[in-house]
Amino acid sequence: MSLAALDAKFPLKRALITGGASGLGLATAELLAARGWRLGLLDRDATRLSAVAADLRTRGTPLCEIHAVDVTDGAAVKSAVDEFAARCGGLDFAMNSAGVAVAGGIIETPAADWDWIMSINVMGVAHSCRAELPHMVASGGGLVVNIASAASFACTAKSSAYSASKAAVVAMSETLYQEFADQHVRVVAAMPGFFRTRLMEHARAPAGAAGFALKMMQASNLEADAVALEIVSRAAAGATHIVLPARYRWLWRFKRLAPRTYLGWMVSVQRRYAAHAAARSRGK
């Protein structure tokens, strides 16, 4: 299904996006706004959210309704989703992209950081799906895209909290796909690799622990708008698991076919990275 076919399938064009004030959420909002979709944007950053809405409205977006909401607050999420669906007469598409990062070894990562990331990355998606899905069922169908990460399968050392949270999003999406298949609602898991985003701005990590992620993100030539286009296009075409860019699809297949070999290879990669980082540090 192309984006044009998506428009045709959902002619009322009603979309809700969490994490809509920046990164992938914002890029998706801009993509759909250009196609005449009515938007409900949720984000905890009220200032940035207001600026995004003002910009989209100047572009002629039919409706851009904003809610400064923390996705850890299930009641607030439900209220915002219900308000948008009531105003638009239903809901057709949702992207749940609000998320945070934690880096560090399992021993050095405090329990409070585990609670924090799980409350946002896992329960935030759960709260959002619980609020969105009934409106899609009532509307006769819909499409939900939950943003996980390539870290859900390409797990690296010192990322247990983040990888576990994103693996949970994949598992949740797979179960919901089955639960709602007979009600014409599809739930998709998107697992993008590193691309340029603000994810690490609020990451919790000991000094140096987030270095690998920051290096990979800075080295990526992939921007959020390209990621949004591919995810929405592939979700519209019927994909259930969206892994991108292409090199991560290779990793996904490698791990599924030869998990023990894959883990050994990952250990060697990280040893080389650690040795290179140590050599650079000594050279300073």
Side-chain angles (χ1 to χ4, degrees):
M1 185 187 294
S2 66
L3 290 184
L6 180 67
D7 296 342
K9 182 175 177 60
F10 300 117
L12 296 178
K13 297 183 177 180
R14 303 164 296 191
L16 188 135
I17 300 170
T18 72
S22 64
L24 185 56
L26 173 57
T28 302
E30 292 174 335
L31 174 67
L32 295 179
R35 305 187 67 84
W37 282 67
R38 292 180 285 175
L39 302 175
L41 305 181
L42 278 62
D43 200 285
R44 64 180 179 177
D45 190 332
T47 301
R48 187 180 293 270
L49 192 60
S50 296
V52 166
D55 178 57
L56 290 174
R57 287 165 184 157
T58 62
R59 303 187 199 186
T61 304
L63 168 68
C64 185
E65 184 176 286
I66 61 173
H67 298 268
V69 169
D70 189 323
V71 294
T72 64
D73 185 340
V77 171
K78 183 179 186 304
S79 177
V81 174
D82 287 350
E83 184 176 329
F84 176 77
R87 184 169 182 178
C88 294
L91 180 63
D92 303 304
F93 175 89
M95 175 179 280
N96 298 316
S97 66
V100 294
V102 166
I106 192 167
I107 295 172
E108 63 188 329
T109 301
D113 287 358
W114 277 86
D115 291 340
W116 178 68
I117 196 169
M118 292 298 174
S119 69
I120 297 169
N121 289 8
V122 181
M123 288 310 302
V125 173
H127 291 321
S128 300
C129 287
R130 284 166 53 84
E132 296 153 358
L133 288 164
H135 293 292
M136 292 185 177
V137 171
S139 298
L143 175 60
V144 178
V145 178
N146 291 328
I147 303 303
S149 168
S152 64
F153 62 88
C155 312
T156 61
K158 300 186 183 298
S159 70
S160 55
Y162 183 69
S163 291
S165 73
K166 291 303 187 177
V169 172
V170 176
M172 189 190 315
S173 302
E174 291 176 348
T175 61
L176 294 178
Y177 180 96
Q178 297 167 65
E179 287 181 34
F180 290 87
D182 292 337
Q183 295 165 294
H184 308 292
V185 177
R186 288 196 306 108
V187 182
V188 176
M191 296 173 273
F194 287 106
F195 64 97
R196 294 177 183 175
T197 181
R198 296 174 59 235
L199 178 65
M200 300 306 293
E201 283 186 14
H202 303 289
R204 295 186 180 182
F212 179 76
L214 284 169
K215 180 179 178 181
M216 294 296 290
M217 193 172 292
Q218 291 165 358
S220 174
N221 60 0
L222 195 59
E223 301 290 348
D225 55 352
V227 176
L229 177 59
E230 183 167 352
I231 287 176
V232 176
S233 298
R234 290 176 60 187
T240 57
H241 299 77
I242 301 170
V243 181
L244 71 153
R247 65 181 179 276
Y248 287 96
R249 290 196 284 276
W250 177 83
L251 285 174
W252 193 43
R253 296 186 185 103
F254 179 14
K255 182 179 180 181
R256 289 161 67 88
L257 290 172
R260 182 175 177 179
T261 303
Y262 170 85
L263 288 176
W265 176 74
M266 286 293 288
V267 169
S268 68
V269 167
Q270 289 167 79
R271 284 173 179 162
R272 289 197 300 270
Y273 172 78
H276 178 68
R280 288 188 61 186
S281 179
R282 288 193 299 269
K284 289 182 179 180

